[in-house]
Amino acid sequence: MSTPVESRQARVIDELRVFIKKVLSDPTIAVKSVDIARKYRKEADSDELIAREISANTTIRIPEKWSEADRMFLDIIHEVLDDEEALY
């Protein structure tokens, strides 16, 4: 029997596997997601705006109640933009 932590980790891994498969099958998802994040980055509720627009314009669906994988995806987008900004 798995512990709650193991179950949560397995769920996050499963969500990330589905996400990675979507990105690999449609390489425009990554570009669109970063472009959308760039547009809303400075807004007070940027994560909410980013999540809504990504859901509306790609095959990635980020529900209103975010999972750990959804939060991780949004955090990684911000890290990508931070890295991009540091280069300039």
Side-chain angles (χ1 to χ4, degrees):
M1 186 175 258
S2 65
T3 68
V5 171
E6 290 170 331
S7 295
R8 190 182 86 241
Q9 288 174 339
R11 189 172 50 252
V12 169
I13 290 168
D14 287 343
E15 283 185 57
L16 290 173
R17 286 178 55 86
V18 169
F19 171 76
I20 291 167
K21 284 168 58 176
K22 286 182 180 183
V23 170
L24 291 175
S25 66
D26 181 359
T28 65
I29 290 172
V31 174
K32 287 179 188 175
S33 296
V34 172
D35 286 344
I36 290 166
R38 209 177 275 124
K39 181 165 78 171
Y40 293 114
R41 175 170 202 182
K42 304 295 182 188
E43 301 293 323
D45 54 350
S46 65
D47 283 348
E48 184 67 35
L49 296 168
I50 292 166
R52 272 195 237 139
E53 189 160 336
I54 287 172
S55 293
N57 292 294
T58 70
T59 57
I60 302 301
R61 298 295 169 252
I62 303 173
E64 286 187 29
K65 183 171 167 50
W66 298 338
S67 69
E68 287 182 61
D70 297 324
R71 169 56 53 203
M72 188 181 302
F73 172 60
L74 293 168
D75 289 344
I76 291 169
I77 288 176
H78 286 292
E79 288 177 25
V80 167
L81 293 177
D82 289 344
D83 292 348
E84 178 183 271
E85 195 173 86
L87 292 174
Y88 299 106

